[in-house]
Amino acid sequence: MNMDKHSPAPLGQSPAFDPRELRKAFGQFATGVTVVTTLAPTGQMIGLTVNSFASLSIDPPLVLWSLAKHSPNLQAFREASHFCVNVLAEDQHSLALQFSRPANDKFAGVAHEPGMAGIPLLSRSIARFECSRSAVHEGGDHLIFIGQVQRYQTFEQPPLLFHGGSFQQLAAAATA
């Protein structure tokens, strides 16, 4: 076990960590990969790759995800009444990359259909959670979006995972 020892920061102050090393440590937690989509007030479809997605509550049905405050998509998500969390399948790593990079039209060549309030739903995702925006909270250098699930769909396929800075796949279960 590799344990770096850091002195605790004085009360009310953040500890001084190397941001790259902290990001690397955070990357040890394997996550699923999603593309969160919405419509801007202009009607433009917006989508971005997110791995900060989590379920929050069953009753009421709530999910959360976070977005960096410096994201060019921040204002569109702050103003949107609805969004969709599209959970990607293991063979959709190119889709995750497409939505993680700046582009004029991230939806070019991407199969999708309209959902609630016209939000784009990505085809072939393994789960889709159509949400009404419930709350937005400050979270350091990110905003945390909470959505109430209005509709969802699931499709049986293995998920795309992210761990240690790269995409991963589930290992096949060993047979006894």
Side-chain angles (χ1 to χ4, degrees):
M1 178 187 310
N2 182 9
M3 292 180 50
D4 282 345
K5 295 183 180 177
H6 296 279
S7 298
L11 192 60
Q13 293 182 13
S14 295
F17 295 127
D18 178 330
R20 289 174 294 169
E21 291 300 315
L22 182 58
R23 185 178 184 102
K24 184 177 175 183
F26 285 157
Q28 293 305 306
F29 181 69
T31 66
V33 182
T34 68
V35 171
V36 181
T37 57
T38 196
L39 280 181
T42 61
Q44 178 186 10
M45 293 185 296
I46 306 290
L48 49 94
T49 302
V50 170
N51 70 343
S52 61
F53 169 71
S55 60
L56 178 61
S57 172
I58 297 295
D59 186 18
L62 300 174
V63 299
L64 65 81
W65 62 282
S66 65
L67 180 59
K69 289 181 180 177
H70 69 295
S71 170
N73 298 302
L74 184 65
Q75 197 58 36
F77 280 100
R78 286 188 87 146
E79 295 175 5
S81 62
H82 293 79
F83 60 82
C84 182
V85 178
N86 301 271
V87 180
L88 299 186
E90 72 178 357
D91 65 348
Q92 292 182 304
H93 61 277
S94 62
L95 196 61
L97 290 173
Q98 182 168 337
F99 280 92
S100 70
R101 298 178 177 140
N104 288 336
D105 182 7
K106 292 184 181 183
F107 289 85
V110 176
H112 63 280
E113 59 192 77
M116 293 175 40
I119 55 175
L121 310 178
L122 301 185
S123 300
R124 297 188 51 253
S125 52
I126 63 171
R128 300 190 293 208
F129 300 94
E130 295 177 75
C131 302
S132 56
R133 186 174 43 94
S134 176
V136 179
H137 298 281
E138 293 281 331
D141 58 1
H142 281 62
L143 289 181
I144 301 163
F145 288 82
I146 298 176
Q148 183 162 350
V149 178
Q150 301 295 323
R151 293 193 300 210
Y152 70 93
Q153 293 177 293
T154 60
F155 308 91
E156 293 299 319
Q157 295 180 63
L160 180 60
L161 301 177
F162 194 75
H163 176 263
S166 62
F167 295 116
Q168 305 291 326
Q169 296 179 342
L170 286 177
T175 56

